[in-house]
Structures are given as C-alpha cells and as structure tokens.
Amino acid sequence: MERKVAVITGARRGLGASIAYSLARRGYNVVVNDRVCEEDVLEVVNNIKNNYEVDALGVMADVSVENEVKRFLRVVQEKYGRVDVVVNNAGIVEDVELENRTIDTFNETLTNNVTSVYLMSKYFGLYMYQNKKGKIINISSTNGTKVFSPESIDYDASKVAINSLTNNYAKQFAPYVLVNAVAPGWINTEMNADLPIKFVKEECEKIYIKRFAEPQEVANLVCFLASDDCSYINGEVINIDGGY
C-alpha cells in the first residue's frame, strides 16, 4: 500500500520537527520545509530516514511567497505524486512593547504567519481537493482564542486570522478536505527556552496542569487530526493548553 505523504512547514526544529517525527512514526512519508538553515532541515530528514521505515524530503522554500509555494508543490508532486496532509506550522513571533513596534515588523509578522497559511492552503488544498481527499492542520495559538498580549499584538492578530482562514478553507474545500486548527498554549520549545524563570513560574500557576506542554503532546493532537480516525471534525480550532 502506498504511503501517505505529510507536508510540514517550519519544521527544522521545535514543534514542527516534533510533528514531522510523530507523523513519520505513524508511517507517513514526510516533507520537511523551512526557509532558513538547510543544515537543520537535512538533520530532521536524515533522522527520519534512519529511525523510521519511511521516506523523507527536505524542501527549502519561503511559504509566504507565492512562486515559492508553487515550486514547493511541484517538487512534492514530482517526488511522491500525492499530498495527504499539510501542517501549516511556519511562523514568527517577537515580543516588543507597543510603542516600540514599527509597521515593518507588524507587517512582517502578518506576512510570515498569515500569508503562508493562505498560500499553502490555497495551492496544496486545491490539489488535495482535486484528488478528493486530504487534511489541513493549521497551527494557531491561544493568543488567537483567549489570551491577549499587547507586546505581541501582531502575533495575536495573525493567529486570529489563521482561525478565520481555517473556517473559510473548511467551507471552500468541503466535503473532501478537512481543515482544522490546533491552538497551543505554552510549549517547551527552543523559542521559549530563554523566558525568565520567574515568568515561567507565574504562567505555570495559571495552567491547571501546572506546567508547559511538551512538543510531543501537541504533535499527538495534530497526528489525530491528520489520521483516518478524524473523519467528522471540520472547521474547528482546538485549544490545547492544559487548562488556562
């Protein structure tokens, strides 16, 4: 039986890499994407090939640029001839006090976080729709559902936009492609490794489970949404934050 193919953007490290490994563990051929540090991408690809009985492909592309997304899709089509799952994980965040944030940094966040989801869903989603089967899982955030942080106002706005894209693409590609989003709270990733200890303790006290999530815990939810077991969830944004 031909293996399913999962495409993960922003997957050279952190949550994206954890999702890539988790899908490989479940038997998917995995396409690992990022726009920076090809060495890290190849490390994830080689780890998958060496540890799981699946294939992996690394593709360097800026998924916020239309021509890059078109090229990305062609590469995957030529290699595998199919796409079954797309995980839109690529994104950036930079905490800056509101009075110090510029329009350039605001627009950069929106372009990286929102335009990438729009383009990947448009082109890869249409391809899956034409094949009458597929899953899109967008990585949102509780910053787009119930947490408000003025120092990351552009990031918060981008996640709200991703939730809207999730709803609209679920309608656009119905009934063949299921489109959902996962909205994590705090996760133990490299991105959060330098947070002040006092701040981490204060945030953990707000979480019912009293700790940050491990990347694997979020990846497990993504893998469920990607699986055949998820057959009747569509257009949903699912919080995964340990209770907050």
Side-chain angles (χ1 to χ4, degrees):
M1 183 177 178
E2 191 176 3
R3 292 189 182 279
K4 291 183 178 181
V5 175
V7 175
I8 305 99
T9 67
R12 70 183 178 90
R13 64 177 186 174
L15 178 59
S18 183
I19 292 169
Y21 292 134
S22 296
L23 288 166
R25 191 178 305 118
R26 289 164 172 80
Y28 292 81
N29 288 334
V30 176
V31 181
V32 179
N33 158 262
D34 212 283
R35 66 173 183 168
V36 297
C37 199
E38 186 173 13
E39 183 179 347
D40 287 351
V41 170
L42 293 176
E43 182 179 357
V44 175
V45 168
N46 289 331
N47 285 339
I48 289 172
K49 287 182 175 180
N50 292 334
N51 290 285
Y52 308 103
E53 295 181 359
V54 299
D55 192 35
L57 173 69
V59 180
M60 302 302 296
D62 184 341
V63 292
S64 68
V65 177
E66 188 166 22
N67 286 336
E68 289 286 283
V69 172
K70 290 180 178 180
R71 176 182 63 82
F72 186 6
L73 178 57
R74 288 196 300 270
V75 170
V76 178
Q77 288 172 321
E78 290 169 4
K79 173 69 173 178
Y80 295 113
R82 65 185 293 169
V83 175
D84 300 277
V85 176
V86 173
V87 181
N88 287 313
N89 174 72
I92 61 173
V93 61
E94 182 180 1
D95 290 343
V96 178
E97 293 301 323
L98 186 60
E99 61 269 24
N100 297 324
R101 186 174 297 282
T102 67
I103 189 65
D104 289 339
T105 57
F106 186 88
N107 286 335
E108 181 185 13
T109 300
L110 292 182
T111 297
N112 278 277
N113 295 6
V114 181
T115 304
S116 60
V117 173
Y118 163 69
L119 290 172
M120 286 293 296
S121 300
K122 176 181 179 179
Y123 289 103
F124 281 77
L126 181 59
Y127 178 62
M128 291 189 289
Y129 179 81
Q130 290 168 343
N131 291 324
K132 297 187 175 182
K133 191 172 185 182
K135 305 285 183 66
I136 297 174
I137 300 104
N138 298 322
I139 304 302
S140 180
S141 170
T142 52
N143 284 59
T145 59
K146 60 180 182 177
V147 176
F148 307 100
S149 303
E151 67 274 11
S152 61
I153 194 167
D154 50 356
Y155 177 80
D156 293 12
S158 75
K159 295 303 181 178
V160 173
I162 286 170
N163 297 343
S164 178
L165 287 173
T166 299
N167 299 143
N168 278 287
Y169 276 121
K171 184 175 182 178
Q172 177 68 33
F173 294 138
Y176 302 122
V177 180
L178 303 185
V179 185
N180 293 291
V182 170
W186 289 111
I187 311 174
N188 276 325
T189 61
E190 293 95 329
M191 184 183 297
N192 295 323
D194 295 328
L195 290 173
I197 294 175
K198 182 175 183 292
F199 176 80
V200 172
K201 288 182 178 179
E202 290 172 349
E203 287 300 297
C204 285
E205 283 303 309
K206 300 175 185 177
I207 300 169
Y208 298 168
I209 299 180
K210 303 302 180 187
R211 62 175 177 82
F212 284 14
E214 295 302 323
Q216 183 62 58
E217 293 176 299
V218 179
N220 288 340
L221 176 56
V222 172
C223 288
F224 167 72
L225 293 173
S227 74
D228 290 339
D229 289 334
C230 176
S231 58
Y232 205 67
I233 300 175
N234 198 19
E236 293 297 326
V237 179
I238 303 173
N239 287 315
I240 176 168
D241 61 1
Y244 186 92

